[in-house]
Amino acid sequence: MMTASKHVTIMSGNEAIARGALEGGIGFCASYPGTPSTEIAATLQRIAEEHDIYVEWSVNEKVALEAAAGASWAGVPALCSIKSLGLNVASDFLLNLNLSGTGKGGLVIVVCDDPRGHSSSNEQDSRFYAKAAQIPLLEPSTYQEAKDIIPYALKISQDYELPVLIRSTTRLSHSRGLVTMGEIPKRTWKAEPLVENLFNVPTPHLKHRDLLKKMDKISEVFEESLWNTLPSEKKIDVLIISSGISRRYSEDAINLLDAENIGVLNLVTTYPLPNKIVSAAISKAKQVLFSEEIDPFIEEEVRSLAVELGNIPEFHGKRNGTIPAFGEMTTDLMREAIANLRGIKFGKTKQVESDLLIPRPLTFCAGCTHRNFYWAVRKVRKRTKDKLVVAGDIGCYSLGVFYDRAMTTMQAMGSGIGVATGLGQLEQFGFDSKVIAVAGDSTFFHACIPGLINAKHKGANLTFVILDNETTAMTGFQTHPGSVHQESRLNRVKIENVVKAIEPDFFARCDATDIPKLVDLLHSTINKEGLKVLLLDSICRLEVARRELATEGVSFRIDKDLCKGDRCLICVQEFACPAISWDKVIGHPVILDQLCVQCGACVAVCPHDAIKEERTS
Amino acid sequence: MRDPFNILVAGVGGQGNLVCGRVLAEASVRSGLRPVVGDTFGASRRGGSVLTHLRIGKIDWAPLIPRGEADIILGLEPLEALRAASKFAGDRTVVIVSQTKIPTVATNGETTEYPSLERIIESLNKLCKQVIVLDAEETLTHSGSMKMLNSFILGTMGALTQNPLSLNIIREALESIFGPDSNNILAFDEGARLRQ
C-alpha cells in the first residue's frame, strides 16, 4: 500500500478487501494461497499482530472455510478468501453451512475468479455457488467498493446468520487505484459459547425452507440497496447491465465511441437479483446489453425475470453471441458490441508482420530443480520406449506440460496421485505404461494424502514423486506445514514422516540438483513393483534469492573447443534454461551471467563436457 | 491533457515493470490526478512478457488500455515494445524503447530466431507516431547496472513534452519509493539528460 495522503491511498482490489476486513472488525481470517486471491490474506497476515487478529494459511480451502465457520459460530467475525478452484474444494462444507447458519460472528467468503485462466488450470464462474447454496452474492466494481463492501457483507451475514459470498475477478483484484480509507472500529465482540443446533439433520429440507425465507428477506434489503447504480440518462436506447470490473469496460467503451442514449445499470447485489430495480430499468430500454465475467449469470437471471414482464426488450449478451461466452471482458469487446448495436464505425489498429512477434514461452526459472526432474523424466521415458505416463498436479511444476510433454495430465489440486491410483490398477486390462504421479510440497498437504492412502490400501502400482522445495513457491512463498522456516507458534510437519507412516513399498530421498543420480534413481524405482515414493529435495531459486543465500564466487562458461555447436544444441534447445542462449555470430551457446544462478545443472546435461565451472574472485 | 492519458510499460518479468507502474501512479497522485494501474503477465514468474497499464485521469478508468489507445509506450525490451505496440499503439503513440535485447528461451527443441533490431524499429515506426531508441547499456554500466533501466527510461519519458507528469514530480515519486540516495535516481537523471 502506498500513501498518497492520510486517508486516500493507492490500493489493489485485494488490498482494499483486506482493509475493508479491518474496517468491518473482522477478527479471524483463514485462507489458502491461490492467484488472484492471495494478497487478501497476505496483507492481513502482515498486519495481524498490530491489529490483534488471527490469520492463517490453512492446509486447504475446505479447512479454511471450516475454521472460519468455527470462529463465526463462536461469535468472532470471520473472513475466508480463496480463489475460484478453492471454492470448489470448500463447496462440500459450504453447501452444509448455508443450512446450518453461521451464528453470531458473521462470515464473509471472498472468491476471486480468474477469467481467461491466466494463473489457473481452468476457467470457471464461481457465482453459481451463491445460487447453488442460496446465499447472498455481492460483486464490487471499484477499488473503493472492494473495501466498503466487506463491512456491509459482514453486517448482512450477522443479521441473517448466513455466509455472504463476495466475488472479484483478476482485473479488480490485481489492478490498483485510489481508495479513501475509513476508521477501524473498537472491538465489540468476544468469543462466546456455541449456539445450539449447528447441524442439519434430521430435517435438512426444513433447514432449506428456512434458508429460502431468509433469502426472501435479503432480496427486499437488496431492492433498497444504494450499492446498485442506476442509469442517469433520460432517454435510453441501449441499457447496459454490468457487474464487477466490467462496469469500467462499459463506461470506457461508451466514452471511446462518444455514443449517446446509452445507460449503465451497475449491479453490486447480484444474487438475489434486485428484481424491481432491474424491471424498472429494462422497461424503459429498447435493447439490453449484458457486461459481466465469465458466464451469463446476471443475463440468465434477467432473462427469466423478463418472462413475467409485459414489454420484453431485445437482449444481447453471451446467450446470443453478441459477447463471447468465454474469456475476459474487455473495453474492446464492449466497444465492438455497442458499435454493432448502434451502427457506429471505428478505426482498427494496424498489423505487424506475424513472424516478428516470436513468443516468450512459459518456462522454469534458471536453476529451478523442477527442470532437472523433468529432464530425468525425459531420459527415463526414452529408456522405457515411451511407455511412461506422468499424472501431474498444480504448482510451478505444472509447466512440465510444456516441457517436451513431460507431464501427461494436469487438473485439480491433488488429482495427480488420484489419477495415478486408477492408472496403477489397469495392468489386468493390458495397460503397460509405467505410472508416475507428481506433486509439490504444498499440494501434498493440500490434497494428496487421501490419494496416497488409497494407493497403499488398494496396492496400486505407481511411483509418487514429491518435488519438495519447502515453500508455496508459485503464489509467493507462503509457509505450509512442511516449510523449514516456520513462523512462531507453528509446528513443522515433515513430509517424510507422513509418507513413512503410510508405509509405501519403497521410499527414497534424492538431491534434485544431482541430475545423473536423479535419472538412475527414477529409472530403477519405476521398475519396482507396488507403491513407490520419491521425495526430491528441491530448490526454488527465487526463495533462495529472497533469503539472500545465492552462491557467489562461481561462474560457468562453455568451452568452445569441446562444444559441438549447432550439431548438438542439447543445452540450448532441449534443456532450455533461460540462462543459456544461442549466439549466432560465434556459433556456440553462451551462458548469460545476469540470469545464471550458478546451479551447475547444465554441466551434467552436456554430453561433451563442454560446460565448465570457474572460480571467480 | 487527454483524459484518460494512457501509458504502457512493456518488458520481461524481472525488469522492473511493476516498479515503473508504482512510480508513475505515485507521480499522478502528486499531480492531483487519479491513476489506475493494471499489470498483465502469464503464470511464469520470470522471463515472460509483462505489461503494466497506467491510465491517468480525473476519474477512474478501466484497468487495461483499449486497443490502439496508448499515448506513451515505455519499451524496456525491443521485442516486448513491438508486441505491446502491435496491440495498443495508434496514431498518437510515442514509443521510447531500449535497444538491449533479452533473448527468448527455446522450447521443445525449437529455437525461434529473434528478429533484427532494424526490423523491430521499422515496424514500430509503421505503428506509432514517434519512436525514440535508447542505448542504455553504456550509460548504465557507469551509474549502476541494467537493473536501473526502468528508472533510466522514466527519466527519458519525464523529459518528453507530451506528458502530463512533470520531470520533477516523477523524480520525487521515484525518491519516495527508492530514497534520495539510490542509484535509481542517478539513472533517472541520466535518462532525462538524453532528451535535454
Side-chain angles (χ1 to χ4, degrees):
Chain A
M1 287 184 231
M2 208 187 312
T3 309
S5 81
K6 198 177 167 196
H7 301 292
V8 184
T9 297
I10 298 174
M11 287 184 188
S12 69
N14 280 350
E15 288 168 341
I17 288 167
R19 174 71 196 182
L22 285 184
E23 291 180 15
I26 273 164
F28 189 101
C29 169
S31 176
Y32 181 81
T35 315
S37 72
T38 309
E39 300 79 10
I40 300 170
T43 302
L44 288 171
Q45 186 151 63
R46 271 198 299 276
I47 53 178
E49 210 167 310
E50 179 190 343
H51 292 279
D52 187 27
I53 56 175
Y54 176 85
V55 184
E56 73 167 41
W57 292 120
S58 306
V59 77
N60 66 34
E61 294 87 351
K62 181 166 177 278
V63 172
L65 183 59
E66 288 156 351
S72 177
W73 283 334
V76 178
L79 180 82
C80 175
S81 54
I82 47 185
K83 76 176 290 179
S84 49
L85 293 119
L87 190 51
N88 300 344
V89 175
S91 63
D92 193 2
F93 182 68
L94 177 65
L95 273 84
N96 281 280
L97 180 64
N98 57 343
L99 301 183
S100 304
T102 47
K104 298 290 177 200
L107 173 53
V108 177
I109 303 167
V110 180
V111 64
C112 298
D113 278 348
D114 187 16
R116 162 68 181 80
H118 293 283
S119 304
S120 303
S121 59
N122 75 352
E123 175 174 79
Q124 71 170 55
D125 190 327
S126 302
R127 294 178 296 176
F128 291 99
Y129 279 113
K131 199 170 174 178
Q134 286 296 306
I135 58 172
L137 172 69
L138 300 165
E139 293 183 68
S141 61
T142 66
Y143 314 102
Q144 188 69 44
E145 284 178 359
K147 176 182 81 64
D148 295 341
I149 203 79
I150 305 290
Y152 175 75
L154 185 65
K155 180 76 171 40
I156 296 272
S157 176
Q158 288 164 339
D159 288 352
Y160 297 92
E161 301 196 8
L162 269 187
V164 174
L165 185 63
I166 291 174
R167 190 255 198 163
S168 176
T169 57
T170 303
R171 298 302 176 200
L172 179 64
S173 281
H174 277 181
S175 63
R176 300 190 294 283
L178 287 174
V179 174
T180 305
M181 290 195 282
E183 297 295 320
I184 297 168
K186 281 221 164 67
R187 188 163 290 177
T188 52
W189 48 263
K190 61 176 174 56
E192 285 166 15
L194 298 195
V195 294
E196 289 185 349
N197 289 321
L198 290 173
F199 45 83
N200 306 324
V201 288
T203 51
H205 64 300
L206 298 183
K207 288 269 192 173
H208 188 194
R209 177 197 63 193
D210 298 343
L211 170 65
L212 295 173
K213 279 185 196 158
K214 284 185 190 176
M215 285 296 275
D216 283 342
K217 285 186 193 148
I218 291 170
S219 182
E220 288 167 26
V221 175
F222 282 2
E223 289 288 2
E224 305 299 324
S225 161
L226 297 176
W227 288 100
N228 304 310
T229 313
L230 308 183
S232 52
E233 292 75 8
K234 285 214 176 67
K235 184 172 183 302
I236 292 176
D237 293 331
V238 180
L239 175 75
I240 297 174
I241 301 182
S242 67
S243 76
I245 196 71
S246 300
R247 169 194 191 164
R248 291 292 186 225
Y249 299 136
S250 306
E251 293 165 350
D252 222 357
I254 295 169
N255 175 61
L256 282 173
L257 292 169
D258 207 11
E260 289 177 343
N261 301 337
I262 297 182
V264 179
L265 168 64
N266 187 65
L267 297 177
V268 172
T269 68
T270 48
Y271 195 84
L273 195 72
N275 288 345
K276 287 179 202 156
I277 294 173
V278 174
S279 301
I282 64 175
S283 66
K284 290 180 202 145
K286 292 183 193 135
Q287 293 174 310
V288 173
L289 175 62
F290 294 94
S291 175
E292 60 183 316
E293 291 184 306
I294 300 167
D295 289 332
F297 180 82
I298 296 173
E299 181 176 348
E300 283 174 1
E301 291 294 306
V302 174
R303 279 175 183 268
S304 57
L305 169 69
V307 173
E308 298 162 21
L309 301 177
N311 190 14
I312 301 180
E314 205 180 286
F315 288 124
H316 293 276
K318 292 167 184 279
R319 286 286 300 273
N320 74 341
T322 304
I323 306 276
F326 57 88
E328 285 195 287
M329 180 54 80
T330 62
T331 298
D332 300 322
L333 286 176
M334 284 309 288
R335 173 161 58 172
E336 201 169 326
I338 296 168
N340 287 342
L341 287 181
R342 304 293 292 156
I344 305 171
K345 290 203 162 49
F346 65 93
K348 297 270 157 70
T349 49
K350 294 172 199 155
Q351 299 290 313
V352 181
E353 291 147 85
S354 56
D355 67 310
L356 282 178
L357 295 177
I358 56 167
R360 287 195 190 273
L362 294 177
T363 184
F364 302 107
C365 299
C368 174
T369 53
H370 295 339
R371 178 187 288 101
N372 300 355
F373 166 67
Y374 288 115
W375 182 258
V377 167
R378 288 163 67 180
K379 291 284 161 205
V380 171
R381 190 171 63 190
K382 268 187 200 152
R383 292 185 193 174
T384 60
K385 299 195 169 50
D386 264 355
K387 294 280 186 191
L388 185 72
V389 293
V390 178
D393 226 298
I394 306 297
C396 292
Y397 53 90
S398 300
L399 290 174
V401 296
F402 304 122
Y403 194 67
D404 193 26
R405 302 165 290 104
M407 185 185 267
T408 322
T409 71
M410 193 265 286
Q411 280 77 23
M413 291 287 282
S415 62
I417 179 70
V419 166
T421 298
L423 292 172
Q425 297 290 356
L426 300 183
E427 275 167 56
Q428 69 183 95
F429 303 117
F431 189 80
D432 59 355
S433 288
K434 300 292 182 189
V435 178
I436 295 177
V438 182
D441 38 345
S442 191
T443 305
F444 173 82
F445 289 107
H446 182 288
C448 291
I449 296 168
L452 185 58
I453 292 173
N454 195 51
K456 165 72 184 179
H457 182 222
K458 307 303 183 300
N461 189 11
L462 64 91
T463 303
F464 183 37
V465 184
I466 304 161
L467 308 177
D468 182 14
N469 60 17
E470 300 181 322
T471 187
T472 320
M474 184 133 190
T475 48
F477 319 109
Q478 291 77 19
T479 307
H480 64 65
S483 299
V484 181
H485 304 280
Q486 296 285 344
E487 285 105 47
S488 59
R489 297 207 301 177
L490 301 178
N491 306 306
R492 186 175 181 205
V493 180
K494 289 183 181 157
I495 294 178
E496 179 168 348
N497 293 350
V498 175
V499 170
K500 283 184 170 165
I502 295 168
E503 297 180 56
D505 298 303
F506 176 77
F507 173 85
R509 275 185 96 121
C510 181
D511 175 0
T513 63
D514 188 342
I515 291 182
K517 205 175 145 200
L518 199 54
V519 175
D520 289 340
L521 176 65
L522 189 65
H523 191 204
S524 65
T525 304
I526 61 165
N527 284 324
K528 293 181 169 45
E529 288 297 309
L531 174 64
K532 292 84 63 181
V533 179
L534 298 181
L535 182 58
L536 303 191
D537 296 317
S538 307
I539 298 175
C540 173
R541 301 292 170 181
L542 295 179
E543 170 77 347
V544 171
R546 203 170 72 95
R547 296 188 184 276
E548 298 178 88
L549 302 169
T551 324
E552 279 175 15
V554 172
S555 77
F556 289 83
R557 64 173 185 87
I558 292 172
D559 186 321
K560 295 190 189 77
D561 297 330
L562 295 173
C563 174
K564 302 294 175 203
D566 59 9
R567 281 176 291 152
C568 169
L569 294 175
I570 285 175
C571 63
V572 183
Q573 286 194 348
E574 292 188 27
F575 190 59
C577 173
I580 306 178
S581 175
W582 176 251
D583 191 322
K584 204 169 63 176
V585 181
I586 61 171
H588 290 287
V590 288
I591 303 220
L592 305 173
D593 285 333
Q594 73 270 29
L595 295 177
C596 179
V597 298
Q598 296 91 37
C599 73
C602 54
V603 172
V605 165
C606 176
H608 312 293
D609 291 328
I611 305 181
K612 304 287 187 195
E613 181 177 328
E614 281 185 347
R615 289 264 142 208
T616 52
S617 53
Chain B
M1 182 193 93
R2 285 185 71 96
D3 190 352
F5 190 88
N6 300 319
I7 303 173
L8 186 65
V9 189
V12 172
Q15 277 197 301
N17 264 65
L18 278 61
V19 173
C20 269
R22 285 191 176 252
V23 172
L24 292 172
E26 178 70 22
S28 308
V29 175
R30 286 164 184 259
S31 308
L33 297 163
R34 294 186 72 89
V36 169
V37 193
D39 303 306
T40 70
F41 39 85
S44 72
R45 300 192 62 85
R46 289 286 157 102
S49 304
V50 183
L51 287 177
T52 299
H53 298 241
L54 182 82
R55 312 197 69 197
I56 313 168
K58 293 191 180 67
I59 58 168
D60 287 359
W61 293 94
L64 302 182
I65 298 169
R67 264 183 184 275
E69 293 293 324
D71 292 284
I72 295 176
I73 295 177
L74 300 180
L76 297 170
E77 202 280 337
L79 178 61
E80 296 316 311
L82 182 62
R83 204 189 307 282
S86 71
K87 198 169 172 194
F88 299 100
D91 300 336
R92 62 174 195 276
T93 310
V94 178
V95 178
I96 305 175
V97 56
S98 160
Q99 64 177 30
T100 308
K101 295 174 178 178
I102 295 182
T104 55
V105 181
T107 44
N108 298 339
E110 284 172 40
T111 327
T112 35
E113 195 168 322
Y114 194 109
S116 73
L117 188 65
E118 292 71 32
R119 281 192 74 198
I120 292 178
I121 306 296
E122 187 189 308
S123 290
L124 282 172
N125 269 310
K126 279 186 204 157
L127 294 168
C128 309
K129 184 178 146 199
Q130 189 188 354
V131 182
I132 300 166
V133 185
L134 302 182
D135 181 356
E137 238 165 327
E138 201 185 337
T139 321
L140 287 178
T141 24
H142 295 305
S143 59
S145 71
M146 284 300 276
K147 284 182 182 163
M148 311 289 163
L149 176 64
N150 52 357
S151 300
F152 183 81
I153 208 165
L154 283 175
T156 311
M157 188 201 115
L160 284 183
T161 46
Q162 56 274 62
N163 160 23
L165 308 172
S166 78
L167 185 69
N168 280 343
I169 285 187
I170 303 175
R171 197 177 188 278
E172 278 172 33
L174 197 67
E175 276 191 11
S176 76
I177 289 167
F178 287 105
D181 302 325
S182 162
N183 278 343
N184 283 282
I185 309 294
L186 291 179
F188 179 86
D189 291 342
E190 294 281 359
R193 209 163 293 143
L194 280 188
R195 299 293 298 169
Q196 281 165 350

